[in-house]
Amino acid sequence: MVPVIDYLDKLGFTPEELPALLTQFPMILYSSIAIDLTPIVDYLLGYGISLENIPKVLLRYPDVLGFKREGTMSTSVAYLVSIGVNSRQIGPMLTRFPELLGMRVGNNIKRKVDFYRGLGFTKEEIARLLEKHPYVLGFDLEENVKPKVECLLQAGIQEKELPSFIARFPDVFELDLRAELAEKTAWLTNEIFLRPSDVPRVFERLPQMLVINEKMAGEKVKFLQGAGISAGDIAKMVVDCPQILAVKLEETLKPNLAFFQQKMRKPLSELLAFPVYLTYDLARRIKPRYRMVERKKINCSLAWFLACSDDKFKRRMSVQFMEAPPQAHTGSAVFDEEDDDDDSEMVEDTGDIGDGDGYDSSGSEGGEQAGQASVQRKDSTSQQASSRAS
């Protein structure tokens, strides 16, 4: 026993972590370091899991210590690579969700991948989804994923929008979805004055609206109203760009509107036509581009000089283009066919949006089961409870 404890200590387990591991996997005390433990640790290191993360992985999923290298672990990883997952991302994926190592391909991973393909995901999109959110493979397909997809469709989410919706907010499968849809629909219609037919479009454009902090979002609505924007116009802006309810009020919304009103002095109709302006980074995108547009005395819409990549903006500022400067328009935002609405400088703020994920361990090496647990994303080291068949 003592040699095992010493080995775990060298791996980086703290005095607080060791009892937790021994409680979850007491058989480790009777394991051979050379035959049982070292090969598994070397295997994990070989996939790109850093040595400092080994304790984290084993604490989250100690069952891996009882697996054989040539069994489920090898086949699950091989399958992920075969569908387009970048082999360099396997390490980070396993660090965040080591339960992948215990999932069988045939009765678990492949069934879920095939279902997502049926929803309209391309093979490449599924690979990117798994690289970023590997825990989506932990949600039970029959008891969780399928019912909630059906719930989204019943709520008015268009089938063609499902891949985008899920890719941007896979945590939807952890929610009490019907309750959240009902609550947020009531709030959007009663407090933001959206038409019921517009609510699904808002969810499509910002899936995280399902968990937005209503009080903080309401403060932004009050600010816009105080700035002279009518409730009806605010509702239209939210439909076109629901992100305005998620950005930080003091750091983004207020300074952006102040710059629009005090420096640009454009008519309100332009802001209504392009509300995404309120979400862009003022210092990095709006100010430098506006200075160039102003210096060249170009009369154009907000969308024309903001909703494009840096390269395209530079081309638009070239002498060749300046021979026929565009005129500003006051209707809805108009883009030509070459426009690429690049949001790389859009402020990303999730301060008013909830976060979290969940998973089940069905189809793992112990057999098919429907256990579920809630975990924190962003590399949380909290343990999850999962029911596993013996």
Side-chain angles (χ1 to χ4, degrees):
M1 295 185 183
V2 174
V4 170
I5 298 297
D6 289 341
Y7 177 75
L8 295 174
D9 181 66
K10 291 179 181 178
L11 285 180
F13 280 88
T14 66
E16 294 77 22
E17 292 170 338
L18 270 175
L21 178 65
L22 297 178
T23 299
Q24 294 181 77
F25 198 78
M27 290 302 296
I28 192 174
L29 291 174
Y30 305 97
S31 300
S32 165
I33 296 176
I35 298 175
D36 302 319
L37 303 183
T38 299
I40 292 296
V41 170
D42 288 345
Y43 184 86
L44 297 176
L45 293 172
Y47 273 124
I49 298 176
S50 64
L51 181 60
E52 63 183 14
N53 280 324
I54 291 296
K56 172 183 175 180
V57 169
L58 297 183
L59 277 170
R60 172 159 178 160
Y61 193 52
D63 287 11
V64 72
L65 292 169
F67 292 170
K68 296 181 179 180
R69 295 176 54 178
E70 65 275 10
T72 301
M73 291 197 298
S74 296
T75 55
S76 59
V77 171
Y79 177 76
L80 292 173
V81 174
S82 74
I83 63 172
V85 171
N86 189 323
S87 58
R88 295 183 179 181
Q89 294 300 316
I90 294 296
M93 289 171 63
L94 295 180
T95 299
R96 296 190 63 193
F97 193 66
E99 290 86 346
L100 284 172
L101 293 170
M103 291 183 174
R104 297 186 184 280
V105 172
N107 68 354
N108 191 338
I109 300 178
K110 187 178 184 300
R111 289 177 60 238
K112 294 170 182 177
V113 168
D114 289 345
F115 177 76
Y116 287 123
R117 287 296 301 274
L119 291 181
F121 278 86
T122 66
K123 198 173 181 179
E124 293 74 20
E125 288 169 342
I126 292 177
R128 302 295 84 78
L129 172 67
L130 298 183
E131 289 173 358
K132 191 174 182 181
H133 307 287
Y135 61 86
V136 298
L137 288 176
F139 293 114
D140 185 274
L141 184 59
E142 299 298 331
E143 297 185 9
N144 189 336
V145 179
K146 288 183 178 181
K148 286 179 179 174
V149 166
E150 183 60 29
C151 185
L152 290 173
L153 292 172
Q154 292 174 356
I157 305 300
Q158 301 173 86
E159 187 172 356
K160 66 179 182 179
E161 297 295 334
L162 286 174
S164 174
F165 188 105
I166 294 170
R168 286 180 291 153
F169 190 50
D171 291 350
V172 67
F173 297 123
E174 188 191 23
L175 303 179
D176 181 350
L177 188 55
R178 291 192 183 279
E180 294 292 354
L181 282 167
E183 178 183 330
K184 290 302 186 290
T185 296
W187 176 70
L188 288 168
T189 54
N190 298 332
E191 302 295 330
I192 314 299
F193 305 110
L194 266 62
R195 296 178 300 179
S197 59
D198 286 330
V199 173
R201 305 293 81 77
V202 169
F203 289 143
E204 289 172 354
R205 290 167 180 160
L206 184 66
Q208 293 88 346
M209 183 65 72
L210 287 167
V211 291
I212 198 168
N213 185 306
E214 295 174 15
K215 181 179 179 180
M216 298 180 72
E219 292 175 356
K220 290 149 195 175
V221 172
K222 291 179 181 178
F223 165 71
L224 294 174
Q225 291 175 332
I229 304 177
S230 70
D233 284 337
I234 292 174
K236 293 177 183 177
M237 293 169 70
V238 170
V239 173
D240 289 340
C241 181
Q243 287 82 359
I244 63 175
L245 297 181
V247 295
K248 289 183 172 65
L249 178 60
E250 298 295 334
E251 296 179 18
T252 305
L253 202 61
K254 284 187 176 181
N256 282 20
L257 184 59
F259 188 80
F260 175 84
Q261 294 175 325
Q262 299 168 17
K263 180 66 176 177
M264 294 183 174
R265 297 182 179 179
K266 289 179 174 288
L268 180 61
S269 57
E270 286 213 38
L271 183 62
L272 299 180
F274 192 65
V276 70
Y277 161 85
L278 293 172
T279 70
Y280 282 123
D281 190 295
L282 182 62
R284 295 172 57 189
R285 191 180 191 101
I286 297 175
K287 284 185 176 181
R289 291 193 180 191
Y290 179 71
R291 282 195 294 266
M292 187 172 293
V293 166
E294 190 177 37
R295 186 165 59 248
K296 291 182 177 291
K297 302 185 184 303
I298 303 174
N299 180 26
C300 64
S301 68
L302 293 172
W304 185 82
F305 76 93
L306 289 174
C308 59
S309 65
D310 288 339
D311 288 340
K312 186 157 192 175
F313 177 73
K314 291 176 182 178
R315 292 199 302 272
R316 287 181 169 178
M317 293 295 101
S318 68
V319 176
Q320 291 85 347
F321 192 89
M322 290 309 301
E323 293 175 358
Q327 297 298 309
H329 56 77
T330 57
S332 60
V334 175
F335 304 93
D336 58 57
E337 292 183 358
E338 295 182 359
D339 270 334
D340 48 350
D341 187 2
D342 177 67
D343 291 341
S344 59
E345 295 298 333
M346 183 183 291
V347 174
E348 293 187 4
D349 169 40
T350 58
D352 300 350
I353 293 177
D355 191 20
D357 65 1
Y359 75 94
D360 74 76
S361 53
S362 59
S364 59
E365 183 150 319
E368 193 76 21
Q369 62 260 272
Q372 286 204 73
S374 295
V375 297
Q376 292 297 313
R377 281 202 295 155
K378 299 181 181 177
D379 299 323
S380 168
T381 58
S382 61
Q383 293 295 305
Q384 308 103 54
S386 62
S387 61
R388 306 184 59 82
S390 58

